[in-house]
Amino acid sequence: MKIIKNLASYSKKKPLALSIGMFDGVHIGHQHITEKLNKVAAEKNLESAILTFWPHPRIVFNPKDDLKLLNTIEEKTYFLEKHGIQNLFLQDFSEGFRNLTGEDFLRQILVEKLHVKHLIIGYDHTFGKNKSGDFSLLEKMAPECGFEVEQVEAVDFSGKHISSTQIRNALSQGKVKEAGEMLGYVYSVSGKVVHGKKIGRTIGYPTANIEVNTLKLLPKKGAYIVDVFVKDQHLKGMLSIGTNPTVSGKTLSVEVYILDFDEDIYGEEISVNFREFLHDEIKFENLEQLIQKLDEDKMRTEKYFS
């Protein structure tokens, strides 16, 4: 997959089958679009492409919103390439770009710059300043501008349209299985193993502290059963997201206890897949109660994997 970070320097003339959007999560609804793009591209001798934005428009318009994302740029790139997309345009959501009207965006970017011949958009997609571009504008201008346009229907899950917002809401409630069903894959977080307070090792549960990208959405505070991937190994673990209230912690941390593992992995990249929610974050009266709960969690984790 070719990644184009600067539209100004893009000069390729190969016509495109393209879709526009954030594609945060590259969930089942997005995968429906990528499948259509690839099919159209193959049939019409085009190249498939996605035009997405960075930073997220909501972050630009509402900097106090503290929006967290389902994918880092690296993860989004990985998933789009996995689903066969040939070109990924990462457009900076600059002031000049976001002030383009829907019609200007269509003519200057899609037609003149990118040579789009087939455009596929989501059921609720709008574009351009003040959301002045929509499907009706595309339908009106398509014949004049020499491209075809189609709008895909929403994909439903449990009676609701699958969306990045729906998935974020599920994760914020600890519903990692439900989120995974909407994503089409198990939700994960990755990062470098960093030094923590090392309290876990004093109670028989040494943990790896994961330094997670600050824009990445973490599921609800609590304990989870997870797959662990580190040093080319696939391991079993139980993970905690929280502030360690039992020992008067204040800072949010992500810590994973890896079963049957005692290697030094400080500085290593680690990834965890969220399999099942165990329980909410708990403040215990003493370390003995904490250890008892960890023992119970370990038993549940071992039973899950067995």
Side-chain angles (χ1 to χ4, degrees):
M1 183 172 70
K2 303 179 191 71
I3 301 171
I4 300 94
K5 295 183 179 179
N6 183 1
L7 284 184
S9 63
Y10 179 76
S11 59
K12 192 174 180 181
K13 300 301 180 184
K14 179 76 174 182
L16 302 175
L18 177 135
S19 187
I20 313 162
M22 277 309 300
F23 283 78
D24 187 31
V26 193
H27 55 63
I28 286 176
H30 296 141
Q31 293 165 33
H32 183 52
I33 292 175
T34 60
E35 187 178 333
K36 279 183 170 287
L37 280 176
N38 292 326
K39 186 172 184 289
V40 168
E43 290 172 350
K44 299 186 176 183
N45 193 29
L46 308 174
E47 287 190 3
S48 60
I50 297 290
L51 171 60
T52 191
F53 311 102
W54 194 262
H56 194 295
R58 271 178 60 186
I59 295 174
V60 175
F61 289 118
N62 301 295
K64 296 180 180 179
D65 192 6
D66 194 30
L67 175 69
K68 302 298 183 184
L69 303 177
L70 300 171
N71 290 152
T72 63
I73 280 287
E74 294 78 14
E75 289 169 341
K76 184 188 296 187
T77 300
Y78 166 80
F79 285 120
L80 289 174
E81 183 170 23
K82 178 182 176 182
H83 289 288
I85 296 301
Q86 294 169 288
N87 300 275
L88 176 61
F89 296 94
L90 296 174
Q91 173 62 41
D92 177 26
F93 201 67
S94 61
E95 184 174 357
F97 183 83
R98 65 178 181 262
N99 281 326
L100 288 173
T101 65
E103 186 170 335
D104 287 342
F105 171 74
L106 195 161
R107 292 185 186 278
Q108 296 175 26
I109 305 298
L110 300 187
V111 177
E112 295 173 15
K113 191 68 184 174
L114 300 182
H115 310 288
V116 173
K117 292 299 179 185
H118 195 104
L119 183 64
I120 300 176
I121 64 169
Y123 68 96
D124 60 349
H125 186 73
T126 57
F127 57 93
K129 187 175 182 179
N130 298 323
K131 299 183 178 181
S132 52
D134 56 15
F135 185 63
S136 62
L137 176 69
L138 292 170
E139 276 191 312
K140 176 185 173 183
M141 297 187 65
E144 173 194 343
C145 294
F147 65 86
E148 294 180 74
V149 61
E150 64 177 299
Q151 187 175 42
V152 297
E153 295 299 318
V155 178
D156 287 354
F157 174 82
S158 296
K160 295 180 180 179
H161 295 338
I162 291 177
S163 68
S164 302
T165 300
Q166 280 286 104
I167 297 167
R168 291 189 201 107
N169 289 341
L171 290 169
S172 69
Q173 297 171 54
K175 298 177 180 178
V176 292
K177 282 185 174 180
E178 183 177 308
E181 289 174 340
M182 290 188 281
L183 286 165
Y185 58 88
V186 182
Y187 191 69
S188 68
V189 299
S190 303
K192 186 180 290 187
V193 178
V194 296
H195 290 277
K197 295 181 179 178
K198 300 181 174 63
I199 295 171
R201 66 176 56 186
T202 67
I203 59 173
Y205 284 94
T207 58
N209 283 256
I210 308 173
E211 187 176 56
V212 179
N213 186 310
T214 55
L215 283 177
K216 176 78 174 182
L217 178 69
L218 292 173
K220 175 185 180 179
K221 287 181 185 179
Y224 296 84
I225 296 172
V226 295
D227 295 301
V228 182
F229 300 90
V230 64
K231 283 187 170 182
D232 297 321
Q233 298 177 74
H234 179 190
L235 305 161
K236 307 163 186 174
M238 51 194 211
L239 177 139
S240 169
I241 298 173
T243 58
N244 297 307
T246 303
V247 291
S248 302
K250 301 294 181 186
T251 306
L252 187 73
S253 65
V254 181
E255 303 176 41
V256 60
Y257 169 74
I258 308 173
L259 277 64
D260 307 314
F261 185 80
D262 62 359
E263 294 181 31
D264 182 354
I265 54 173
Y266 286 118
E268 296 285 346
E269 286 295 318
I270 188 171
S271 180
V272 295
N273 287 358
F274 289 86
R275 290 291 180 181
E276 190 166 290
F277 180 69
L278 286 169
H279 56 78
D280 289 316
E281 181 177 49
I282 303 169
K283 181 176 182 179
F284 297 97
E285 293 182 8
N286 52 57
L287 288 179
E288 287 71 26
Q289 289 183 1
L290 170 61
I291 293 168
Q292 183 179 348
K293 189 62 175 177
L294 287 169
D295 289 342
E296 292 174 10
D297 290 349
K298 184 178 180 181
M299 287 179 63
R300 285 183 61 185
T301 301
E302 289 173 332
K303 184 177 179 181
Y304 175 89
F305 283 111
S306 67

